[in-house]
Amino acid sequence: MESTEAILLRDDRDGVVTLRLNRPQQFNALSDALLDHLEHAFASLAADARVRCVVLAGEGKAFCAGHDLREMRGKPDLDYYRALFTQCARVMQAIRALPVPVIARVHGIATAAGCQLVAACDLAIAADTARFAVSGINVGLFCATPAVPLSRNVSAKRAFDMLVTGRFVDAATAVDWGLVNEAVPEDALDVAIARKVAEIVAKSPVAVRYGKAMFHRQREMTLEDAYAYASDVMARNMMEDDVREGIDAFLEKRPARWRT
């Protein structure tokens, strides 16, 4: 049995939390234990008002190679598989439910549920050598759960092409298709992540939290309902101290001092 010690690393610095998948010999495959650790970590982060941004990364040569196929094959039971994929879905939805932005830091490969992780994050920055696939089809398993966030990032035809062929797409294609925000040389990946984090934490934490929740929710609404909801969110946001400070700072031509 695999030791669960340190299979998920956490680093906290000034409100920025980095979570690192730490199964490098298995290309950070999502074992049962690692999914447990992720689920608990996201629950803890959601309850911590000090957190401003989360970065999700992988140790070793890859971001994440998806589910642990060896572990799955060793438990041929329908109830186990249902529980596994239900938990994985909870983890992906927990990323969206976090009140702060989550950035995927992608290098190497992101395949199957690893590609699902990328698609589930709010933002993604990849090394220009990274590759992406939903390749379960190659072992006879259609990547049904990865299809959910993937098809909400890229067009239906592009998503289905990836799902039914299992083919890899490179980082430049992933940017073009909308799966990741940008691709940079691998040795510049940490700099690019730090730059994006700095851009986020420079903004009002109240506004960012309003914004993340609103952005995802309105995408599921009709146009009329989305405008009604967005109008209410903006009105409530206007009542926050940070908005009064931000507007005053703009009018007085000085840096804003956000409430933390």
Side-chain angles (χ1 to χ4, degrees), residues 106-136:
V106 190
H107 73 293
I109 59 169
T111 55
C115 189
Q116 183 180 3
L117 272 176
V118 176
C121 288
D122 304 296
L123 301 164
I125 299 176
D128 57 11
T129 52
R131 298 190 301 150
F132 304 81
V134 275
S135 47

Coordinates of all heavy atoms in Angstrom, one line a residue, residues 106-136:
V106 N 1.1 24.1 -15.5 CA 1.1 22.8 -16.2 C 2.5 22.7 -16.9 O 2.9 23.5 -17.7 CB 0.0 22.8 -17.3 CG1 -0.1 21.4 -17.9 CG2 -1.3 23.2 -16.7
H107 N 3.1 21.5 -16.7 CA 4.3 21.1 -17.4 C 4.2 19.6 -17.8 O 3.3 18.9 -17.2 CB 5.5 21.4 -16.6 CG 5.7 20.4 -15.5 ND1 4.9 20.4 -14.4 CD2 6.6 19.4 -15.3 CE1 5.2 19.4 -13.6 NE2 6.3 18.8 -14.1
G108 N 5.0 19.2 -18.7 CA 4.9 17.8 -19.1 C 3.6 17.4 -19.7 O 3.1 18.1 -20.6
I109 N 2.9 16.4 -19.2 CA 1.6 16.0 -19.7 C 0.5 16.3 -18.7 O 0.7 16.3 -17.5 CB 1.6 14.5 -20.1 CG1 1.9 13.6 -18.9 CG2 2.6 14.2 -21.2 CD1 1.7 12.1 -19.1
A110 N -0.7 16.5 -19.3 CA -1.9 16.6 -18.5 C -2.9 15.7 -19.2 O -3.5 16.2 -20.3 CB -2.4 18.0 -18.4
T111 N -3.1 14.5 -18.8 CA -3.9 13.6 -19.5 C -5.1 13.1 -18.7 O -5.1 13.0 -17.5 CB -3.1 12.3 -20.0 OG1 -2.5 11.7 -18.8 CG2 -2.0 12.7 -20.9
A112 N -6.2 12.8 -19.4 CA -7.4 12.2 -18.8 C -7.9 13.1 -17.6 O -8.1 14.3 -17.8 CB -7.2 10.8 -18.4
A113 N -7.9 12.6 -16.4 CA -8.4 13.4 -15.3 C -7.4 14.5 -15.0 O -7.7 15.5 -14.3 CB -8.6 12.6 -14.0
G114 N -6.1 14.4 -15.5 CA -5.2 15.5 -15.4 C -5.6 16.7 -16.2 O -5.4 17.8 -15.9
C115 N -6.0 16.4 -17.5 CA -6.5 17.4 -18.3 C -7.8 18.0 -17.8 O -8.1 19.2 -17.9 CB -6.8 16.8 -19.7 SG -7.2 18.0 -21.0
Q116 N -8.6 17.1 -17.1 CA -9.8 17.6 -16.4 C -9.5 18.6 -15.3 O -10.2 19.6 -15.2 CB -10.5 16.4 -15.8 CG -11.8 16.7 -15.1 CD -12.5 15.4 -14.5 OE1 -11.9 14.3 -14.6 NE2 -13.6 15.5 -13.9
L117 N -8.4 18.4 -14.6 CA -8.0 19.3 -13.6 C -7.7 20.7 -14.2 O -8.0 21.7 -13.7 CB -6.7 18.8 -12.9 CG -6.9 17.9 -11.6 CD1 -5.5 17.5 -11.2 CD2 -7.6 18.7 -10.5
V118 N -6.9 20.7 -15.3 CA -6.6 21.9 -16.0 C -7.9 22.7 -16.4 O -8.0 23.9 -16.2 CB -5.7 21.7 -17.3 CG1 -5.5 23.0 -18.0 CG2 -4.4 21.0 -16.9
A119 N -8.8 21.9 -17.0 CA -10.1 22.5 -17.5 C -10.9 23.0 -16.3 O -11.7 24.0 -16.5 CB -10.9 21.5 -18.3
A120 N -10.8 22.4 -15.2 CA -11.6 22.8 -14.0 C -11.1 24.1 -13.4 O -11.8 24.8 -12.7 CB -11.6 21.7 -13.0
C121 N -9.8 24.4 -13.5 CA -9.2 25.6 -12.9 C -9.7 26.8 -13.6 O -10.1 26.8 -14.8 CB -7.7 25.5 -13.0 SG -7.0 24.3 -11.8
D122 N -9.7 27.9 -12.9 CA -10.1 29.2 -13.5 C -9.2 29.7 -14.5 O -9.6 30.4 -15.5 CB -10.3 30.2 -12.3 CG -11.2 29.8 -11.2 OD1 -12.4 29.6 -11.5 OD2 -10.7 29.6 -10.1
L123 N -7.9 29.5 -14.3 CA -6.9 30.0 -15.2 C -5.8 28.8 -15.4 O -5.7 28.0 -14.5 CB -6.2 31.2 -14.7 CG -7.1 32.4 -14.4 CD1 -6.3 33.5 -13.6 CD2 -7.4 33.1 -15.8
A124 N -5.1 28.8 -16.5 CA -4.1 27.9 -16.7 C -2.9 28.5 -17.5 O -3.2 29.1 -18.5 CB -4.6 26.6 -17.4
I125 N -1.7 28.3 -17.0 CA -0.5 28.7 -17.7 C 0.4 27.5 -17.8 O 0.6 26.7 -16.9 CB 0.2 29.8 -16.9 CG1 -0.7 31.0 -16.7 CG2 1.5 30.2 -17.6 CD1 -0.1 32.1 -15.9
A126 N 0.8 27.2 -19.1 CA 1.5 26.0 -19.4 C 2.9 26.3 -19.9 O 3.1 27.3 -20.6 CB 0.7 25.2 -20.4
A127 N 3.8 25.3 -19.7 CA 5.1 25.3 -20.4 C 4.8 25.1 -21.9 O 3.8 24.3 -22.2 CB 6.0 24.3 -19.9
D128 N 5.6 25.7 -22.8 CA 5.3 25.5 -24.2 C 5.6 24.1 -24.7 O 5.3 23.7 -25.8 CB 6.0 26.5 -25.1 CG 7.5 26.5 -24.9 OD1 8.1 25.6 -24.2 OD2 8.2 27.5 -25.4
T129 N 6.2 23.3 -23.8 CA 6.4 21.8 -24.1 C 5.3 20.9 -23.6 O 5.4 19.7 -23.8 CB 7.7 21.4 -23.5 OG1 7.8 21.8 -22.1 CG2 8.9 22.1 -24.3
A130 N 4.3 21.5 -22.9 CA 3.3 20.7 -22.3 C 2.4 20.1 -23.3 O 2.2 20.6 -24.4 CB 2.4 21.5 -21.3
R131 N 1.8 18.9 -23.0 CA 0.8 18.3 -23.9 C -0.4 17.9 -23.2 O -0.3 17.5 -22.0 CB 1.5 17.1 -24.6 CG 2.7 17.5 -25.5 CD 3.2 16.3 -26.3 NE 3.5 15.1 -25.5 CZ 3.4 13.9 -25.8 NH1 2.9 13.5 -27.0 NH2 3.7 12.9 -25.0
F132 N -1.5 17.8 -23.9 CA -2.8 17.6 -23.3 C -3.6 16.5 -24.0 O -3.6 16.5 -25.3 CB -3.6 18.9 -23.3 CG -2.9 20.1 -22.6 CD1 -2.0 20.8 -23.3 CD2 -3.2 20.4 -21.3 CE1 -1.3 21.9 -22.7 CE2 -2.6 21.5 -20.7 CZ -1.6 22.2 -21.4
A133 N -4.3 15.7 -23.3 CA -5.1 14.6 -24.0 C -6.1 14.1 -23.0 O -5.9 14.2 -21.7 CB -4.2 13.5 -24.4
V134 N -7.2 13.7 -23.5 CA -8.2 12.9 -22.7 C -8.2 11.5 -23.4 O -9.0 11.2 -24.2 CB -9.6 13.6 -22.7 CG1 -9.7 14.6 -21.6 CG2 -9.9 14.2 -24.1
S135 N -7.3 10.7 -22.9 CA -6.9 9.5 -23.6 C -7.4 8.2 -23.1 O -6.9 7.1 -23.5 CB -5.3 9.5 -23.6 OG -4.8 9.7 -22.3
G136 N -8.4 8.3 -22.3 CA -9.0 7.1 -21.8 C -9.5 6.1 -22.9 O -9.5 4.9 -22.8

